[in-house]
Amino acid sequence: MERCRAIPQGYMTAGTIAKKMGVTVRTLQHYDKEGLLSPSAMSEGGRRLYTDEDIIKLHQILSLKHLGFSLDDIKDRLIPLDTPADVAQVLSEQAAVVREKIASLTESLSRIEALKTEVLEMQSVDFKKYADIIVNLEMKNDFYWLIKHFDSETLDHIRSQFDKESGIAFLQKFLHLQDEAIRFHDAGVSAESPEGLQFAKAYWDMILEFTNGDAAMLPKLMQIGESDEFNQELKQMQAKANAFIEPALGAYFSNLGIDPFQEEAK
């Protein structure tokens, strides 16, 4: 009874607050030592005493720690809780950090599931392809799943030609030209028009950049481009793009008097 009366009204011992918040007394002592959460008062017997405000501060600390922040980072993020606006600001900041973390974890989970799907669909263990898929997922390349269809020679060529930065730049160029082909198709632009020939040159230059002038890669690329794994929407978009790309390239090669595909067949 003496012990209970020694605790002033409105205060809690370290043991009580630790039990409420699911931490240890040693953790509270450590936070006090690090200057994160000092007790609001000390009892006559030298016991640490905490208030409901300290519970809010501790909740803030534990939330940020759970999100991966170091104690030094947390110390920099703590602000006084003197007014309702202060408390609301702390909660808003925590909510923003949580949303950011959720978005990051959701993206990570999506990549893990995507890689898992690819691993199960491949017929053999191939860590090089796994690594390439991970890199392309990081690049946000929606066509990452095509990697499993490339042979080792083609993948070695791609690895030697592109790093992550140049790979992203090439992907953006490819997607831009795909969109432009669809736009020209929808607008009824003639493949033999100056616009069509200019497009064909840009598209062929992109292919040469990808293959580094190796015509032997063309049949492989064409075969991969006809993959059955394209969903219906992608198939429709690709068909519309090809409806302009193929005649545009034909007109371009005709003007140049060459047929690179026939030359490769020879």
Side-chain angles (χ1 to χ4, degrees), residues 18-65:
K19 186 175 181 180
K20 280 179 177 288
M21 298 300 292
V23 298
T24 64
V25 172
R26 180 171 294 182
T27 296
L28 294 178
Q29 293 170 345
H30 181 63
Y31 289 165
D32 183 12
K33 180 180 178 182
E34 294 296 323
L36 284 169
L37 180 66
S38 298
S40 291
M42 299 290 288
S43 72
E44 293 180 1
R47 301 172 69 190
R48 291 177 168 83
L49 301 179
Y50 296 87
T51 64
D52 289 329
E53 180 180 346
D54 294 325
I55 287 182
I56 303 301
K57 290 180 181 178
L58 179 57
H59 176 267
Q60 184 185 3
I61 293 166
L62 295 176
S63 296
L64 292 172
K65 187 172 182 293

Side-chain angles (χ1 to χ4, degrees), residues 22-262:
V23 298
T24 64
V25 172
R26 180 171 294 182
T27 296
L28 294 178
Q29 293 170 345
H30 181 63
Y31 289 165
D32 183 12
K33 180 180 178 182
E34 294 296 323
L36 284 169
L37 180 66
S38 298
S40 291
M42 299 290 288
S43 72
E44 293 180 1
R47 301 172 69 190
R48 291 177 168 83
L49 301 179
Y50 296 87
T51 64
D52 289 329
E53 180 180 346
D54 294 325
I55 287 182
I56 303 301
K57 290 180 181 178
L58 179 57
H59 176 267
Q60 184 185 3
I61 293 166
L62 295 176
S63 296
L64 292 172
K65 187 172 182 293
H66 180 70
L67 292 170
F69 289 98
S70 68
L71 294 186
D72 286 337
D73 291 334
I74 294 173
K75 191 182 301 184
D76 293 337
R77 286 175 171 268
L78 296 177
I79 65 174
L81 303 175
D82 299 329
T83 68
D86 291 338
V87 177
Q89 181 181 340
V90 167
L91 295 175
S92 294
E93 290 180 357
Q94 283 182 245
V97 172
V98 170
R99 281 192 290 270
E100 184 179 338
K101 193 72 172 181
I102 289 173
S104 176
L105 289 173
T106 300
E107 189 171 347
S108 295
L109 177 60
S110 176
R111 291 171 183 168
I112 290 170
E113 293 292 350
L115 178 59
K116 174 185 170 184
T117 298
E118 297 306 296
V119 167
L120 292 175
E121 288 183 358
M122 291 169 61
Q123 298 300 310
S124 61
V125 174
D126 190 329
F127 289 104
K128 277 192 173 183
K129 284 190 177 182
Y130 298 165
D132 288 334
I133 291 170
I134 290 172
V135 170
N136 277 266
L137 286 169
E138 293 284 341
M139 290 166 51
K140 302 185 186 302
N141 179 3
D142 291 336
F143 301 102
Y144 65 87
W145 47 270
L146 287 173
I147 289 172
K148 63 177 173 287
H149 297 295
F150 285 108
D151 58 29
S152 298
E153 184 180 354
T154 303
L155 284 174
D156 285 341
H157 168 81
I158 294 172
R159 295 183 193 110
S160 67
Q161 284 290 104
F162 301 101
D163 55 22
K164 186 173 182 179
E165 184 177 341
S166 61
I168 291 174
F170 182 86
L171 177 62
Q172 291 172 342
K173 183 188 300 184
F174 168 75
L175 294 175
H176 169 73
L177 288 174
Q178 290 288 102
D179 289 342
E180 194 169 52
I182 293 173
R183 181 170 61 84
F184 283 160
H185 173 271
D186 290 343
V189 174
S190 170
E192 298 180 356
S193 67
E195 279 183 307
L197 294 176
Q198 185 178 3
F199 168 86
K201 181 181 185 309
Y203 199 88
W204 184 241
D205 287 344
M206 178 190 68
I207 292 175
L208 291 178
E209 178 187 355
F210 184 83
T211 63
N212 200 25
D214 183 2
M217 293 184 65
L218 296 178
K220 298 178 183 179
L221 295 179
M222 292 174 65
Q223 183 178 5
I224 291 172
E226 297 169 355
S227 172
D228 291 334
E229 288 190 49
F230 283 101
N231 62 39
Q232 195 60 36
E233 183 180 358
L234 283 175
K235 283 182 179 179
Q236 291 175 353
M237 291 177 62
Q238 191 62 48
K240 190 180 288 188
N242 288 343
F244 183 81
I245 293 170
E246 292 173 4
L249 286 175
Y252 177 68
F253 295 144
S254 179
N255 281 359
L256 293 178
I258 63 171
D259 186 345
F261 298 97
Q262 189 175 33

